[in-house]
mmCIF file of all heavy atoms in Angstrom:
data_model
loop_
_atom_site.group_PDB
_atom_site.id
_atom_site.type_symbol
_atom_site.label_atom_id
_atom_site.label_comp_id
_atom_site.label_asym_id
_atom_site.label_seq_id
_atom_site.Cartn_x
_atom_site.Cartn_y
_atom_site.Cartn_z
ATOM 1 N N VAL A 196 91.629 110.297 94.602
ATOM 2 C CA VAL A 196 90.740 111.094 93.750
ATOM 3 C C VAL A 196 91.342 111.256 92.353
ATOM 4 O O VAL A 196 90.678 111.061 91.333
ATOM 5 C CB VAL A 196 90.476 112.462 94.403
ATOM 6 C CG1 VAL A 196 89.850 113.437 93.412
ATOM 7 C CG2 VAL A 196 89.587 112.301 95.631
ATOM 8 N N ILE A 197 92.629 111.593 92.305
ATOM 9 C CA ILE A 197 93.295 111.793 91.019
ATOM 10 C C ILE A 197 93.451 110.469 90.286
ATOM 11 O O ILE A 197 93.227 110.385 89.065
ATOM 12 C CB ILE A 197 94.650 112.491 91.228
ATOM 13 C CG1 ILE A 197 94.423 113.907 91.781
ATOM 14 C CG2 ILE A 197 95.446 112.547 89.923
ATOM 15 C CD1 ILE A 197 95.690 114.612 92.225
ATOM 16 N N LYS A 198 93.821 109.411 90.999
ATOM 17 C CA LYS A 198 93.950 108.102 90.368
ATOM 18 C C LYS A 198 92.615 107.643 89.779
ATOM 19 O O LYS A 198 92.569 107.083 88.672
ATOM 20 C CB LYS A 198 94.467 107.074 91.374
ATOM 21 C CG LYS A 198 95.905 107.312 91.809
ATOM 22 C CD LYS A 198 96.492 106.135 92.565
ATOM 23 C CE LYS A 198 95.730 105.744 93.772
ATOM 24 N NZ LYS A 198 96.390 104.686 94.559
ATOM 25 N N ALA A 199 91.537 107.863 90.503
ATOM 26 C CA ALA A 199 90.217 107.471 90.012
ATOM 27 C C ALA A 199 89.841 108.248 88.762
ATOM 28 O O ALA A 199 89.285 107.693 87.802
ATOM 29 C CB ALA A 199 89.176 107.679 91.108
ATOM 30 N N ALA A 200 90.139 109.545 88.756
ATOM 31 C CA ALA A 200 89.852 110.360 87.576
ATOM 32 C C ALA A 200 90.672 109.901 86.378
ATOM 33 O O ALA A 200 90.155 109.775 85.263
ATOM 34 C CB ALA A 200 90.122 111.828 87.881
ATOM 35 N N LEU A 201 91.949 109.633 86.603
ATOM 36 C CA LEU A 201 92.804 109.177 85.511
ATOM 37 C C LEU A 201 92.322 107.841 84.951
ATOM 38 O O LEU A 201 92.306 107.631 83.731
ATOM 39 C CB LEU A 201 94.242 109.052 85.988
ATOM 40 C CG LEU A 201 95.013 110.358 86.161
ATOM 41 C CD1 LEU A 201 96.394 110.072 86.733
ATOM 42 C CD2 LEU A 201 95.138 111.088 84.836
ATOM 43 N N ALA A 202 91.944 106.923 85.831
ATOM 44 C CA ALA A 202 91.449 105.632 85.364
ATOM 45 C C ALA A 202 90.246 105.825 84.442
ATOM 46 O O ALA A 202 90.125 105.165 83.402
ATOM 47 C CB ALA A 202 91.074 104.745 86.549
ATOM 48 N N HIS A 203 89.366 106.747 84.810
ATOM 49 C CA HIS A 203 88.194 107.023 83.973
ATOM 50 C C HIS A 203 88.600 107.580 82.612
ATOM 51 O O HIS A 203 88.182 107.063 81.560
ATOM 52 C CB HIS A 203 87.258 108.004 84.678
ATOM 53 C CG HIS A 203 86.174 108.524 83.801
ATOM 54 N ND1 HIS A 203 85.030 107.807 83.523
ATOM 55 C CD2 HIS A 203 86.064 109.699 83.111
ATOM 56 C CE1 HIS A 203 84.263 108.510 82.708
ATOM 57 N NE2 HIS A 203 84.859 109.663 82.453
ATOM 58 N N TYR A 204 89.413 108.631 82.613
ATOM 59 C CA TYR A 204 89.727 109.303 81.343
ATOM 60 C C TYR A 204 90.654 108.476 80.456
ATOM 61 O O TYR A 204 90.646 108.633 79.230
ATOM 62 C CB TYR A 204 90.310 110.687 81.624
ATOM 63 C CG TYR A 204 89.260 111.655 82.103
ATOM 64 C CD1 TYR A 204 89.298 112.189 83.384
ATOM 65 C CD2 TYR A 204 88.201 112.013 81.280
ATOM 66 C CE1 TYR A 204 88.315 113.052 83.838
ATOM 67 C CE2 TYR A 204 87.209 112.878 81.720
ATOM 68 C CZ TYR A 204 87.273 113.387 82.998
ATOM 69 O OH TYR A 204 86.288 114.237 83.439
ATOM 70 N N LEU A 205 91.434 107.584 81.050
ATOM 71 C CA LEU A 205 92.294 106.705 80.261
ATOM 72 C C LEU A 205 91.586 105.427 79.829
ATOM 73 O O LEU A 205 92.158 104.624 79.093
ATOM 74 C CB LEU A 205 93.552 106.341 81.068
ATOM 75 C CG LEU A 205 94.529 107.488 81.319
ATOM 76 C CD1 LEU A 205 95.631 107.038 82.286
ATOM 77 C CD2 LEU A 205 95.142 107.978 80.015
ATOM 78 N N GLY A 206 90.354 105.244 80.289
ATOM 79 C CA GLY A 206 89.616 104.051 79.921
ATOM 80 C C GLY A 206 90.109 102.791 80.618
ATOM 81 O O GLY A 206 89.890 101.684 80.131
ATOM 82 N N MET A 207 90.763 102.941 81.778
ATOM 83 C CA MET A 207 91.243 101.801 82.545
ATOM 84 C C MET A 207 90.095 101.164 83.321
ATOM 85 O O MET A 207 89.230 101.873 83.845
ATOM 86 C CB MET A 207 92.316 102.229 83.560
ATOM 87 C CG MET A 207 93.636 102.624 82.993
ATOM 88 S SD MET A 207 94.743 103.221 84.329
ATOM 89 C CE MET A 207 94.767 101.790 85.432
ATOM 90 N N PRO A 208 90.091 99.840 83.466
ATOM 91 C CA PRO A 208 89.154 99.234 84.406
ATOM 92 C C PRO A 208 89.406 99.789 85.805
ATOM 93 O O PRO A 208 90.553 99.925 86.229
ATOM 94 C CB PRO A 208 89.496 97.740 84.342
ATOM 95 C CG PRO A 208 90.191 97.553 83.034
ATOM 96 C CD PRO A 208 90.930 98.833 82.779
#
Side-chain angles (χ1 to χ4, degrees):
V196 166
I197 295 171
K198 292 192 303 186
L201 284 176
H203 170 80
Y204 287 115
L205 291 172
M207 289 176 57

